[in-house]
Each structure stands twice: as C-alpha cells, then as structure tokens.
C-alpha cells in the first residue's frame, strides 16, 4: 500500500515538473518571438524620396526606452514613434550616447517641426513640437539638413 502511495506521489511530482517546464518553455518562446517581431518591425519611411529604415515604437515601453543606451544609429536608420492620439509629446535625451534630429509629424503626415542637433548633454531638458503630432521620427543629427528636410514636407510610409 505504501509503495502504491509513493508511486502516485512520484508520478504527481513528475507531472508537475513536466507541466512547469512546458509552461516556462512556452513563455520563453513567446518572449523570443516578440523580440524577433520587434526586429522585423522595421519599415521604410520616405521624406523627399529619401528612404529611412526605421524601427517602430508604438508600445509605451518601446517609446519610453527609445534609442537610449545604444552606441550608434545607422546612417539611414531611425526610430518612428507612433502615438494613438495626436499631442505635444515630450522627448528627452536620457541615457543617449549620440546626438539626434527629431522630426515632428502630424496626423496628415506633414512635418510640422524639426528639432536639430539634440545633444545627450541636454538631459534632463525635454523637447516638444510647436503643434500636436501623431508621429515622431528620431534620426542622426545632420540627416535632415543633408536631405533638405523642411517644414511642410510630406512623409510617406
């Protein structure tokens, strides 16, 4: 009788371990897939016919992190922040390692403001557009001048 009880307990423990392993394996796969999807979440944005390969930041945690902590940004790369509602969304240079230009884009995909050459040394100052925007594009300093980006230009995705 005791052997039967011990066998049932051991089988229960084994099932619990197997279930736990499968649960955590599934969680790890979901996180890995989300990370891969973030990598795939690169899109092309065009300004004056010039393409930029951008990472999309449309979730609050992605928007809070932004480009912080990165050592560099590719020459024709950027990060496009997509907000659910237009607003005067504020940005700062917390934990940034290189300067940026910020292009502020309204819901009609029109550039309404450009903030140039933001240095990491400006932290903790915050920067916001002069009018509400739905999109914010962070790019390397100088890209907007090099590509003749002006207020009123139309951005296409």
């Amino acid at each position: 009788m005791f052997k039967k009880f011990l066998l049932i307990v051991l089988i229960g423990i084994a099932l619990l371990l197997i279930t736990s392993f499968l649960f955590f394996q599934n969680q790890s796969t979901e996180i890995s897939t989300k990370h891969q999807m973030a990598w795939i979440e690169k899109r092309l944005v065009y300004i004056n016919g010039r393409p930029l390969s951008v990472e999309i930041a449309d979730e609050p945690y992605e928007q809070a992190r932004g480009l912080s902590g990165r050592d560099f940004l590719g020459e024709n790369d950027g990060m496009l922040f997509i907000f659910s509602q237009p607003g005067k969304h504020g940005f700062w240079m917390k934990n940034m390692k290189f300067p940026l230009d910020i292009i502020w884009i309204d819901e009609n995909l029109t550039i309404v403001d450009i903030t140039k050459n933001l240095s990491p040394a400006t932290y903790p100052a915050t920067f916001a557009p002069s009018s509400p925007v739905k999109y914010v594009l962070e790019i390397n300093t100088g890209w907007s001048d090099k590509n003749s980006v002006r207020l009123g230009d139309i951005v296409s995705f």
Side-chain angles (χ1 to χ4, degrees), residues 72-115:
F72 66 93
L73 186 61
E75 182 180 347
N76 292 306
D77 291 344
M79 180 168 277
L80 180 67
F81 296 77
I82 303 173
F83 295 96
S84 58
Q85 296 294 321
K88 291 186 177 183
H89 306 285
F91 280 68
W92 61 5
M93 296 296 284
K94 184 177 183 182
N95 297 324
M96 287 299 299
K97 297 181 178 183
F98 53 91
L100 293 173
D101 285 354
I102 298 180
I103 298 176
W104 310 90
I105 307 163
D106 70 10
E107 60 190 332
N108 297 317
L109 302 179
T110 302
I111 296 174
V112 295
D113 213 343
I114 303 171
T115 307

Side-chain angles (χ1 to χ4, degrees), residues 44-60:
L44 285 178
V45 169
Y46 295 89
I47 303 175
N48 295 332
R50 306 266 198 262
L52 281 162
S53 178
V54 299
E55 293 178 53
I56 303 297
D58 57 1
E59 297 289 337

Side-chain angles (χ1 to χ4, degrees), residues 28 30 35 57 61 63 70 95 110 113 118 138 140 143:
S28 175
E30 286 177 22
H35 185 274
Y61 71 91
Q63 293 169 345
R70 296 193 190 188
N95 297 324
T110 302
D113 213 343
L118 284 179
E138 292 184 337
N140 281 308
W143 194 94

Side-chain angles (χ1 to χ4, degrees), residues 7-19:
L7 181 61
I8 290 172
V9 168
L10 289 175
I11 290 173
I13 291 171
L15 287 173
L16 182 63
L17 288 172
I18 290 170
T19 303

